[in-house]
Short mmCIF file of all heavy atoms in Angstrom, two decimals:
data_model
loop_
_atom_site.label_atom_id
_atom_site.label_comp_id
_atom_site.label_asym_id
_atom_site.label_seq_id
_atom_site.Cartn_x
_atom_site.Cartn_y
_atom_site.Cartn_z
N ILE A 132 29.01 16.23 -16.95
CA ILE A 132 28.90 15.95 -18.38
C ILE A 132 27.45 15.70 -18.75
O ILE A 132 26.74 14.96 -18.06
CB ILE A 132 29.75 14.71 -18.77
CG1 ILE A 132 31.21 14.92 -18.43
CG2 ILE A 132 29.56 14.36 -20.24
CD1 ILE A 132 31.90 15.96 -19.29
N LEU A 133 27.00 16.31 -19.84
CA LEU A 133 25.67 16.02 -20.38
C LEU A 133 25.81 15.07 -21.56
O LEU A 133 26.68 15.24 -22.41
CB LEU A 133 25.00 17.31 -20.87
CG LEU A 133 24.63 18.37 -19.83
CD1 LEU A 133 24.00 19.56 -20.53
CD2 LEU A 133 23.68 17.80 -18.78
N GLU A 134 24.93 14.08 -21.60
CA GLU A 134 24.86 13.19 -22.76
C GLU A 134 23.65 13.60 -23.60
O GLU A 134 22.53 13.68 -23.09
CB GLU A 134 24.73 11.74 -22.32
CG GLU A 134 24.70 10.77 -23.49
CD GLU A 134 24.54 9.33 -23.06
OE1 GLU A 134 24.88 9.01 -21.90
OE2 GLU A 134 24.08 8.51 -23.88
N ILE A 135 23.91 13.89 -24.86
CA ILE A 135 22.86 14.37 -25.77
C ILE A 135 22.66 13.36 -26.89
O ILE A 135 23.62 12.96 -27.56
CB ILE A 135 23.23 15.75 -26.35
CG1 ILE A 135 23.37 16.76 -25.22
CG2 ILE A 135 22.19 16.21 -27.36
CD1 ILE A 135 23.91 18.11 -25.66
N ALA A 136 21.42 12.95 -27.09
CA ALA A 136 21.10 11.98 -28.14
C ALA A 136 20.38 12.68 -29.29
O ALA A 136 19.32 13.26 -29.09
CB ALA A 136 20.23 10.86 -27.58
N PRO A 137 20.95 12.64 -30.50
CA PRO A 137 20.26 13.19 -31.66
C PRO A 137 19.12 12.29 -32.08
O PRO A 137 18.99 11.14 -31.61
CB PRO A 137 21.36 13.24 -32.72
CG PRO A 137 22.27 12.11 -32.34
CD PRO A 137 22.25 12.05 -30.84
N GLU A 138 18.28 12.77 -32.97
CA GLU A 138 17.17 11.95 -33.45
C GLU A 138 17.69 10.70 -34.14
O GLU A 138 17.11 9.62 -34.04
CB GLU A 138 16.29 12.76 -34.41
CG GLU A 138 15.03 12.02 -34.85
CD GLU A 138 14.10 12.90 -35.65
OE1 GLU A 138 14.29 14.13 -35.68
OE2 GLU A 138 13.17 12.35 -36.27
N ASN A 139 18.79 10.85 -34.86
CA ASN A 139 19.44 9.72 -35.51
C ASN A 139 20.93 9.77 -35.21
O ASN A 139 21.52 10.84 -35.10
CB ASN A 139 19.23 9.76 -37.03
CG ASN A 139 17.77 9.65 -37.42
OD1 ASN A 139 17.11 8.66 -37.13
ND2 ASN A 139 17.24 10.70 -38.06
N GLY A 140 21.55 8.61 -35.09
CA GLY A 140 22.98 8.57 -34.85
C GLY A 140 23.32 8.34 -33.38
O GLY A 140 22.45 8.12 -32.54
N THR A 141 24.61 8.42 -33.09
CA THR A 141 25.09 8.14 -31.74
C THR A 141 25.05 9.38 -30.85
O THR A 141 25.09 10.50 -31.33
CB THR A 141 26.54 7.62 -31.79
OG1 THR A 141 27.35 8.57 -32.48
CG2 THR A 141 26.62 6.28 -32.48
N SER A 142 24.99 9.14 -29.56
CA SER A 142 24.97 10.22 -28.58
C SER A 142 26.36 10.86 -28.48
O SER A 142 27.37 10.25 -28.82
CB SER A 142 24.56 9.69 -27.21
OG SER A 142 23.25 9.20 -27.23
N VAL A 143 26.37 12.10 -28.01
CA VAL A 143 27.63 12.80 -27.74
C VAL A 143 27.60 13.29 -26.31
O VAL A 143 26.55 13.45 -25.71
CB VAL A 143 27.85 13.99 -28.70
CG1 VAL A 143 28.00 13.51 -30.13
CG2 VAL A 143 26.72 15.01 -28.58
N MET A 144 28.78 13.53 -25.76
CA MET A 144 28.90 14.07 -24.41
C MET A 144 29.57 15.43 -24.47
O MET A 144 30.55 15.60 -25.19
CB MET A 144 29.69 13.11 -23.52
CG MET A 144 29.01 11.81 -23.25
SD MET A 144 29.90 10.83 -22.03
CE MET A 144 28.86 9.35 -21.99
N ILE A 145 29.02 16.38 -23.70
CA ILE A 145 29.60 17.72 -23.67
C ILE A 145 29.74 18.15 -22.21
O ILE A 145 29.00 17.70 -21.34
CB ILE A 145 28.73 18.74 -24.43
CG1 ILE A 145 27.38 18.93 -23.71
CG2 ILE A 145 28.53 18.31 -25.87
CD1 ILE A 145 26.59 20.11 -24.25
N PRO A 146 30.70 19.02 -21.92
CA PRO A 146 30.84 19.51 -20.54
C PRO A 146 29.69 20.42 -20.16
O PRO A 146 29.23 21.23 -20.97
CB PRO A 146 32.16 20.28 -20.59
CG PRO A 146 32.31 20.70 -22.02
CD PRO A 146 31.71 19.59 -22.83
N PHE A 147 29.21 20.27 -18.94
CA PHE A 147 28.15 21.14 -18.45
C PHE A 147 28.79 22.31 -17.71
O PHE A 147 28.87 22.35 -16.48
CB PHE A 147 27.19 20.38 -17.54
CG PHE A 147 25.99 21.20 -17.13
CD1 PHE A 147 25.18 21.79 -18.08
CD2 PHE A 147 25.68 21.37 -15.79
CE1 PHE A 147 24.07 22.55 -17.70
CE2 PHE A 147 24.59 22.12 -15.40
CZ PHE A 147 23.78 22.71 -16.35
N THR A 148 29.28 23.27 -18.49
CA THR A 148 29.89 24.47 -17.95
C THR A 148 29.16 25.68 -18.53
O THR A 148 28.45 25.57 -19.54
CB THR A 148 31.38 24.56 -18.32
OG1 THR A 148 31.49 24.65 -19.75
CG2 THR A 148 32.14 23.33 -17.84
N GLU A 149 29.36 26.84 -17.91
CA GLU A 149 28.67 28.03 -18.39
C GLU A 149 29.14 28.44 -19.77
O GLU A 149 28.39 29.04 -20.54
CB GLU A 149 28.87 29.18 -17.39
CG GLU A 149 27.96 30.36 -17.64
CD GLU A 149 27.94 31.32 -16.48
OE1 GLU A 149 28.64 31.09 -15.48
OE2 GLU A 149 27.20 32.32 -16.58
N VAL A 150 30.40 28.13 -20.10
CA VAL A 150 30.92 28.47 -21.43
C VAL A 150 30.31 27.56 -22.49
O VAL A 150 29.91 28.02 -23.57
CB VAL A 150 32.46 28.36 -21.45
CG1 VAL A 150 32.99 28.61 -22.85
CG2 VAL A 150 33.06 29.36 -20.47
N ALA A 151 30.23 26.27 -22.20
CA ALA A 151 29.71 25.31 -23.17
C ALA A 151 28.19 25.34 -23.24
O ALA A 151 27.60 25.10 -24.31
CB ALA A 151 30.18 23.90 -22.83
N VAL A 152 27.54 25.64 -22.12
CA VAL A 152 26.07 25.69 -22.06
C VAL A 152 25.69 27.04 -21.46
O VAL A 152 25.45 27.17 -20.26
CB VAL A 152 25.50 24.53 -21.21
CG1 VAL A 152 23.98 24.54 -21.26
CG2 VAL A 152 26.05 23.19 -21.69
N PRO A 153 25.67 28.09 -22.29
CA PRO A 153 25.47 29.44 -21.75
C PRO A 153 24.06 29.75 -21.28
O PRO A 153 23.85 30.72 -20.56
CB PRO A 153 25.85 30.34 -22.94
CG PRO A 153 25.62 29.49 -24.15
CD PRO A 153 25.96 28.09 -23.73
N GLU A 154 23.08 28.92 -21.66
CA GLU A 154 21.70 29.21 -21.25
C GLU A 154 20.94 27.92 -21.01
O GLU A 154 21.02 26.98 -21.80
CB GLU A 154 20.97 30.04 -22.32
CG GLU A 154 19.55 30.39 -21.94
CD GLU A 154 18.85 31.26 -22.98
OE1 GLU A 154 19.52 31.71 -23.93
OE2 GLU A 154 17.63 31.46 -22.86
N VAL A 155 20.22 27.88 -19.89
CA VAL A 155 19.31 26.78 -19.58
C VAL A 155 17.95 27.39 -19.27
O VAL A 155 17.83 28.22 -18.36
CB VAL A 155 19.80 25.95 -18.38
CG1 VAL A 155 18.77 24.86 -18.04
CG2 VAL A 155 21.16 25.32 -18.67
N ASP A 156 16.94 27.01 -20.04
CA ASP A 156 15.59 27.55 -19.83
C ASP A 156 14.66 26.38 -19.50
O ASP A 156 14.19 25.67 -20.40
CB ASP A 156 15.10 28.29 -21.06
CG ASP A 156 13.85 29.12 -20.79
OD1 ASP A 156 12.97 28.62 -20.05
OD2 ASP A 156 13.75 30.25 -21.30
N LEU A 157 14.43 26.15 -18.21
CA LEU A 157 13.59 25.04 -17.78
C LEU A 157 12.14 25.26 -18.17
O LEU A 157 11.42 24.30 -18.48
CB LEU A 157 13.71 24.83 -16.28
CG LEU A 157 15.10 24.48 -15.74
CD1 LEU A 157 15.04 24.30 -14.23
CD2 LEU A 157 15.65 23.24 -16.40
N ASP A 158 11.69 26.52 -18.16
CA ASP A 158 10.29 26.80 -18.48
C ASP A 158 9.98 26.46 -19.94
O ASP A 158 8.92 25.90 -20.25
CB ASP A 158 9.97 28.27 -18.21
CG ASP A 158 10.01 28.61 -16.73
OD1 ASP A 158 9.74 27.70 -15.92
OD2 ASP A 158 10.33 29.76 -16.39
N LEU A 159 10.91 26.79 -20.84
CA LEU A 159 10.69 26.52 -22.26
C LEU A 159 11.25 25.17 -22.69
O LEU A 159 11.06 24.74 -23.83
CB LEU A 159 11.30 27.64 -23.11
CG LEU A 159 10.66 29.02 -22.93
CD1 LEU A 159 11.34 30.04 -23.83
CD2 LEU A 159 9.16 28.97 -23.22
N GLY A 160 11.98 24.52 -21.79
CA GLY A 160 12.42 23.16 -22.05
C GLY A 160 13.59 23.01 -22.99
O GLY A 160 13.64 22.03 -23.75
N PHE A 161 14.56 23.93 -22.93
CA PHE A 161 15.72 23.79 -23.81
C PHE A 161 16.96 24.34 -23.14
O PHE A 161 16.90 25.07 -22.15
CB PHE A 161 15.48 24.50 -25.15
CG PHE A 161 15.60 26.00 -25.08
CD1 PHE A 161 16.82 26.63 -25.31
CD2 PHE A 161 14.51 26.79 -24.76
CE1 PHE A 161 16.94 28.02 -25.24
CE2 PHE A 161 14.61 28.16 -24.68
CZ PHE A 161 15.83 28.79 -24.93
N LEU A 162 18.11 23.97 -23.70
CA LEU A 162 19.37 24.59 -23.31
C LEU A 162 20.17 24.89 -24.57
O LEU A 162 19.99 24.24 -25.60
CB LEU A 162 20.16 23.70 -22.34
CG LEU A 162 20.47 22.24 -22.71
CD1 LEU A 162 21.64 22.13 -23.65
CD2 LEU A 162 20.75 21.44 -21.44
N LEU A 163 21.00 25.92 -24.48
CA LEU A 163 21.83 26.33 -25.61
C LEU A 163 23.24 25.77 -25.45
O LEU A 163 23.79 25.77 -24.35
CB LEU A 163 21.90 27.85 -25.72
CG LEU A 163 20.65 28.59 -26.21
CD1 LEU A 163 20.96 30.08 -26.33
CD2 LEU A 163 20.19 28.04 -27.56
N VAL A 164 23.79 25.32 -26.56
CA VAL A 164 25.13 24.75 -26.57
C VAL A 164 26.03 25.56 -27.48
O VAL A 164 25.67 25.82 -28.65
CB VAL A 164 25.10 23.28 -27.05
CG1 VAL A 164 26.51 22.71 -27.13
CG2 VAL A 164 24.23 22.44 -26.12
N GLU A 165 27.15 26.03 -26.95
CA GLU A 165 28.15 26.73 -27.76
C GLU A 165 29.06 25.65 -28.36
O GLU A 165 29.82 25.00 -27.64
CB GLU A 165 28.94 27.69 -26.88
CG GLU A 165 29.50 28.90 -27.60
CD GLU A 165 30.50 28.53 -28.69
OE1 GLU A 165 31.36 27.68 -28.44
OE2 GLU A 165 30.41 29.09 -29.79
N PRO A 166 28.98 25.41 -29.68
CA PRO A 166 29.63 24.23 -30.26
C PRO A 166 31.13 24.16 -30.08
O PRO A 166 31.68 23.08 -29.85
CB PRO A 166 29.23 24.30 -31.74
CG PRO A 166 28.85 25.73 -31.98
CD PRO A 166 28.26 26.21 -30.69
N VAL A 167 31.83 25.29 -30.16
CA VAL A 167 33.28 25.26 -30.03
C VAL A 167 33.67 24.93 -28.59
O VAL A 167 34.49 24.05 -28.32
CB VAL A 167 33.90 26.60 -30.47
CG1 VAL A 167 35.40 26.59 -30.22
CG2 VAL A 167 33.60 26.85 -31.95
N ALA A 168 33.06 25.64 -27.63
CA ALA A 168 33.36 25.40 -26.23
C ALA A 168 32.96 23.99 -25.80
O ALA A 168 33.60 23.40 -24.93
CB ALA A 168 32.65 26.44 -25.35
N ALA A 169 31.89 23.47 -26.42
CA ALA A 169 31.42 22.13 -26.07
C ALA A 169 32.26 21.04 -26.72
O ALA A 169 32.13 19.86 -26.37
CB ALA A 169 29.96 21.96 -26.47
#
Side-chain angles (χ1 to χ4, degrees):
I132 300 291
L133 294 179
E134 182 181 337
I135 299 172
E138 185 173 348
N139 298 298
T141 55
S142 296
V143 296
M144 293 187 182
I145 66 169
F147 186 55
T148 63
E149 192 166 1
V150 175
V152 185
E154 181 178 352
V155 177
D156 193 320
L157 299 180
D158 292 331
L159 295 181
F161 76 91
L162 53 80
L163 287 184
V164 177
E165 208 298 315
V167 176

